[in-house]
Amino acid sequence: MTRNEKKQRRIRQLKIRVISTLLIFCLVIVAGGCALIEKNKESKKVVRVNGGVVEKTKNVADNSENTSTETKEETSKTEEKTTKDNKRVIDPNKPMIALTFDDGPGERTLELLETLEKYNVRASFFMCGTSLSRNDIKVEEILKKMDELGCDMGNHTMDHQSLPTLSSQKIKWEVEGVNDLIKKHVGHGAKFVRPPYGAGIRDKKVSKYVKAPMVCWSVDTLDWKTKSKKETIRSVMNDAHDGDIVLMHDIHGWTVDAVKKIIPKLLKKGYQLVTVSEMAEAKGCKLENGKPYFEF
Ligand SMILES: [Zn+2]
């Protein structure tokens, strides 16, 4: 190969290298652009809220609640309304959640009711005969407050036994006993029954003697098990959505502490916090005696 030919070859190789580098550079730019467009598409998530479409920008990769920029419609909802005659106004077109509390009343139920009142929200309480018979808490004051606020008062039986294992007579006693205890303080019995452990809701004998709609739950916070304020908050904030009935226990201090955080968080997300009866009415569901309900 002559010297000139060698020079020519070097120039050709150099040209090839320059062109390849330029091609790679262009490819990187195009790929980067595509990835950016995809990311934008993904981060726009359309959330359907009861027929009305609310668009909110949300970073899908990051689940922390602070990343969502809610629309005006959502943030404007900081408290609920009542009419002049104290009847609460529930908007059936907006999402709602029913917080429910079992096994009470307890030491901090009154405090919990005051929290509900502060935010003008309501909840449902499924109470046990053993708790309603306690002398170390102000049962009368608690029940009157519950009734005055318009919270649902539910029956969780006299001594928390699995109803299908009992005789018809005993089931009757378990239910009627609680109704009598509530009636003694507020002049009327419970609206609903929540059989302990949700046991026997399909049992013919149980549904015959319960003689009230059986309100179960769709979100179980397991607050009794985790014994944690943080975990209870996490469970509700992650799992509860429109139409859900959330199960908690007002006999636990960590639950009362959690609810104080949960209420403003759910309100900020645009939820109405309603009783089970308010939710059934708003969702157009007529509750029947002896039938189980899990969500609306
Ligand atoms: Zn229970």
Side-chain angles (χ1 to χ4, degrees), residues 3 26 36 39 117 126-127 139 164 182:
R3 209 175 162 180
C26 288
L36 209 67
K39 204 179 167 196
E117 188 177 26
F126 293 87
M127 298 173 282
V139 174
I182 297 176

Side-chain angles (χ1 to χ4, degrees), residues 189-231:
K191 265 186 188 173
F192 310 121
V193 169
R194 175 172 280 169
Y197 320 105
I201 49 171
R202 313 268 183 213
D203 184 302
K204 277 187 184 165
K205 182 177 67 183
V206 172
S207 36
K208 186 178 170 192
Y209 289 98
V210 153
K211 288 182 181 152
M214 290 191 277
V215 174
C216 303
W217 57 90
S218 51
V219 174
D220 189 351
T221 59
L222 296 175
D223 57 343
W224 59 274
K225 198 176 176 185
T226 66
K227 296 183 170 58
S228 156
K229 170 188 165 185
K230 206 177 142 200
E231 278 305 303

Side-chain angles (χ1 to χ4, degrees), residues 55-82:
E55 193 184 45
K56 61 180 180 181
T57 51
K58 189 177 177 190
N59 188 343
V60 177
D62 186 351
N63 278 333
S64 92
E65 58 202 78
N66 297 332
T67 59
S68 65
T69 314
E70 275 121 11
T71 60
K72 255 187 195 170
E73 193 192 343
E74 283 174 312
T75 45
S76 67
K77 185 102 193 83
T78 50
E79 67 165 30
E80 288 166 13
K81 299 179 188 85
T82 47

